Amino acid sequence: LVQRETDLRFIRRLARRNGHLFWITTDQNGIDTAHFKRPPLSGTPATELVINLDSPNLDALDISWDTEQPTSAMAKQLDLNTKSPIDGGVSTSPLPPLGSAALSAIAGGTHSLHLATPVDDAGDLRGRSEAALIEADFFLRATGQTTLSALGAVVRSHTTVKLRGAGSRHSGDYFCASVKHTIDATGHRMELELLRNGWGCLLYTSPSPR
């Protein structure tokens, strides 16, 4: 291996190529744990963000989306040893949607990408296809700000959070991609970047008119 980059960039490149993320967490005893896996979208949300309702804890929220992202991947290669075709196509993203409607249902029709990359077997090619769809599947991005005093908790990246008060389309679970913490004499502010691979929330209840 001829490595021309730092160890961290090398590991992150391998993670992205396989649809994984790489991050490190530290527990209360100071023990570090390295995580090399796909975005964890299942489980109970770590915290609840509220906007437009009574007792909101978000100062602002900006939401943007792009539904022209690919929803399937076509990937074919030729085995140089056996001269047989290698098919690594994937019809859908392997991750569960964070909303009631996935990107494939929202986009209306199939948007395919053609993946051309050298591989040794069908498993490797399929992994590359899944990685490309995982990255494209997060078509919705939200940015917002909150404080420790308003939220009563610290938001951590690579966890899921629940958003309430953003309407029937945008309320629901989100994946927290990054958090920027600003701590000074006035308080603890958190700038959040949230991602979602669907919209709609089956458990959403419209707020009562004020």
Side-chain angles (χ1 to χ4, degrees), residues 61-155:
L61 184 70
D62 294 321
I63 299 177
S64 61
W65 64 86
D66 180 8
T67 56
E68 294 298 321
Q69 298 293 329
T71 57
S72 67
M74 301 172 58
K76 292 185 178 182
Q77 294 291 334
L78 186 67
D79 191 316
L80 299 180
N81 295 319
T82 64
K83 307 305 183 202
S84 59
I86 300 175
D87 189 352
V90 177
S91 59
T92 58
S93 169
L95 296 183
L98 289 173
S100 58
L103 174 61
S104 56
I106 298 168
T110 301
H111 297 183
S112 298
L113 65 86
H114 184 78
L115 186 66
T117 181
V119 296
D120 294 325
D121 53 51
D124 190 6
L125 188 57
R126 182 178 178 83
R128 301 284 190 95
S129 298
E130 290 181 348
L133 287 186
I134 288 174
E135 186 170 332
D137 205 36
F138 287 107
F139 70 96
L140 192 150
R141 184 181 303 269
T143 56
Q145 297 183 9
T146 186
T147 62
L148 178 61
S149 59
L151 185 61
V154 175
V155 182

Side-chain angles (χ1 to χ4, degrees), residues 146-150 182-190:
T146 186
T147 62
L148 178 61
S149 59
T182 303
I183 304 174
D184 54 26
T186 62
H188 182 171
R189 177 169 296 275
M190 293 171 280

